[in-house]
Amino acid sequence: MQRVACRIEYIGTGFSGYQVQPNGRTVQEELEAALKKLHKGQPVHVSASGRTDAGVHAKGQVIHFDSPLTIPSLRWSKAVNPLLPADIRVSASQHVATNFHARYSAVGKQYRYKVTKREDIFLRNRASFVPTSLNVTHMRAAAEHILGTHDFSSFCAANTSVVDKVRTVTQCDIVEDDEELTFILAGNGFLYNMVRIAVGTLLEIGAGKRAPEDMQHIIAAEDRGAAGKTAPAHGLYLWSVGYAQPMFTSAEKR
Amino acid sequence: MQRVACRIEYIGTGFSGYQVQPNGRTVQEELEAALKKLHKGQPVHVSASGRTDAGVHAKGQVIHFDSPLTIPSLRWSKAVNPLLPADIRVSASQHVATNFHARYSAVGKQYRYKVTKREDIFLRNRASFVPTSLNVTHMRAAAEHILGTHDFSSFCAANTSVVDKVRTVTQCDIVEDDEELTFILAGNGFLYNMVRIAVGTLLEIGAGKRAPEDMQHIIAAEDRGAAGKTAPAHGLYLWSVGYAQPMFTSAEKR
């Protein structure tokens, strides 16, 4: 058996999230269905770096699975893509050691959250439209407080079973152009809804509903009730997953 | 009766083109259906600056219609948008004189054609994926020959009834970033498929299949057979339509 890792992208709009569930179409079930076809009816279990919620997109989700097929390391994308629906694509593939695990070997993740300043049907479901004018300087000042190692209970959805809510955020940048704002958050791990709650809180600061200095008190409160609203799912992208070893570095022939 | 002009955007993917036809969903029929609802069942005829083909998008199509309703000039977008499907939106509106005509008053148009260098599911149906490496310097040199007033028979689909094929192209730029190439073409008018044939020919030059200097001979030939392939519809955007008077200048309250 060969363990294979793939980097995948998907448009979250048509999915009830990543993970298989009784009702609704999921990314995992589409991946497993494609691999089952490739394996002539043999089921293949797919493990991902983590779940994404309904409507959340991925540019760089990472998965792994084991296969008896002798497809060359970099050719797996070409083998799987024709079997996938139009809203999922394998963008890179490689053989990995059998102790590699898409989730447990991950050492970091980057998420991006897109906000569009003008209503634009081409960004519908792909960015969150915020009609109010936003003070980016205030949001950037507040974002500074998110950096570092904190108990992020304030940015964690209440319905979670995770006990240790300490995470380290290494990047919290806001990139602005004429049409869009992009929030870039990277860290060693993220709690359930953490990025969306952080962005929702930053947006309330940008709109003047809270002061930039409030951010440190919000985090210190270790209380979900202290933070702002959860920003909508359709602005969120799982952008990349980091591992100790370099991954997907070989340029794949198309 | 008040004549109303609207600037509209649509995602071309779900339409068999702009103009009403016996089979297939069209932009015009959706606009007229929404206006009919707003007018309590009275049919309203919509005129556009021109047709767009199946799969072609619009950021700045302009339409006009006549209405007995007393909706303020800038409020028409707000009145019509809730009645439109998710892939059409009115982005601006204003009252115009009864001699204004979306098509006959137009003095110029700008089209953009998007090419994506990397396969990207988020650009599927919204840009044309070209896997070959393209020489932008060569394409820009060739684009110079398109500028000016020419008989563009070489860039006109064979099945057209237009007699006068002389048009003036005032802009033919290629903007490049990491992920995309955008061809920007503006002029006093465009023949059927003219932008897609011009771009298709430029892409063949960029790929090294033809020399940049060939462009002047291709145009001089006044023969569709001399030019390159028609680039796919899904990369094309009707970006803006120009009129003698300034249009849609008042910022609309959202």
Side-chain angles (χ1 to χ4, degrees), chain A:
Chain A
M1 293 291 265
Q2 174 64 53
R3 185 153 290 191
V4 180
C6 293
R7 188 179 63 206
I8 61 169
E9 45 185 37
Y10 45 86
I11 301 171
T13 315
F15 297 104
S16 303
Y18 174 82
Q19 195 176 48
V20 166
Q21 53 168 257
N23 303 305
R25 182 174 174 251
T26 66
V27 178
Q28 186 187 356
E29 89 190 11
E30 293 285 6
L31 289 168
E32 292 182 346
L35 288 169
K36 190 175 176 183
K37 271 186 219 159
L38 192 66
H39 289 77
K40 313 228 183 280
Q42 291 300 311
V44 176
H45 177 73
V46 168
S47 296
S49 74
R51 312 172 192 178
T52 52
D53 278 344
V56 174
H57 314 290
K59 280 286 282 186
Q61 170 71 288
V62 175
I63 59 161
H64 82 260
F65 54 88
D66 294 317
S67 171
L69 301 182
T70 57
I71 294 172
S73 185
L74 305 182
R75 304 290 293 180
W76 273 93
S77 337
K78 267 204 156 40
V80 181
N81 275 329
L83 304 169
L84 286 171
D87 46 3
I88 310 183
R89 201 176 78 89
V90 178
S91 60
S93 63
Q94 70 174 64
H95 289 172
V96 286
T98 48
N99 66 352
F100 174 91
H101 193 289
R103 180 170 172 198
Y104 301 117
S105 305
V107 294
K109 275 186 185 171
Q110 190 192 98
Y111 283 93
R112 298 194 179 187
Y113 194 95
K114 277 199 198 190
V115 165
T116 171
K117 298 186 243 177
R118 274 194 272 270
E119 210 170 350
D120 179 343
I121 49 168
F122 293 93
L123 293 175
R124 193 172 275 173
N125 290 323
R126 299 187 180 188
S128 178
F129 169 53
V130 176
T132 43
S133 118
L134 296 167
N135 186 322
V136 176
T137 308
H138 282 185
M139 290 195 288
R140 286 190 178 132
E144 292 285 321
H145 298 296
I146 298 177
L147 288 175
T149 304
H150 306 283
D151 181 311
F152 280 107
S153 297
S154 296
F155 289 168
C156 183
N159 55 339
T160 184
S161 56
V162 176
V163 176
D164 178 11
K165 292 177 180 164
V166 175
R167 296 290 184 277
T168 301
V169 173
T170 53
Q171 183 183 15
C172 188
D173 290 334
I174 304 169
V175 178
E176 186 178 23
D177 70 19
D178 285 354
E179 306 277 330
E180 289 175 39
L181 284 177
T182 304
F183 296 76
I184 306 178
L185 282 91
N188 69 344
F190 289 88
L191 301 165
Y192 186 53
N193 278 357
M194 180 168 156
V195 177
R196 289 167 56 193
I197 298 168
V199 170
T201 307
L202 287 169
L203 288 172
E204 291 181 11
I205 289 164
K209 292 180 195 161
R210 295 167 186 256
E213 315 80 71
D214 290 354
M215 185 58 93
Q216 59 191 122
H217 308 304
I218 291 167
I219 295 170
E222 298 182 10
D223 171 12
R224 172 68 189 90
K229 281 189 190 154
T230 306
H234 63 273
L236 186 61
Y237 294 72
L238 171 53
W239 202 261
S240 61
V241 185
Y243 295 91
Q245 79 267 38
M247 296 279 290
F248 311 119
T249 49
S250 317
E252 185 190 357
K253 284 226 182 71
R254 294 188 189 276

Side-chain angles (χ1 to χ4, degrees), chain B residues 52-118:
Chain B
T52 53
D53 277 346
V56 173
H57 314 289
K59 281 286 283 186
Q61 171 70 289
V62 175
I63 58 161
H64 82 260
F65 54 87
D66 294 317
S67 171
L69 300 182
T70 57
I71 294 173
S73 184
L74 305 182
R75 303 291 291 180
W76 272 93
S77 338
K78 267 205 156 40
V80 180
N81 275 329
L83 304 169
L84 286 171
D87 47 3
I88 310 182
R89 202 177 76 88
V90 178
S91 61
S93 63
Q94 69 174 66
H95 288 170
V96 286
T98 47
N99 65 352
F100 174 91
H101 192 288
R103 181 170 173 200
Y104 301 117
S105 305
V107 294
K109 275 187 185 171
Q110 189 192 100
Y111 283 92
R112 298 196 178 184
Y113 194 94
K114 278 200 198 188
V115 165
T116 170
K117 297 187 245 179
R118 274 195 272 269

Side-chain angles (χ1 to χ4, degrees), chain B residues 32-66:
Chain B
E32 292 182 346
L35 287 169
K36 190 175 176 181
K37 270 185 220 158
L38 193 66
H39 290 77
K40 313 228 181 280
Q42 289 302 309
V44 176
H45 177 74
V46 168
S47 297
S49 74
R51 311 172 195 177
T52 53
D53 277 346
V56 173
H57 314 289
K59 281 286 283 186
Q61 171 70 289
V62 175
I63 58 161
H64 82 260
F65 54 87
D66 294 317

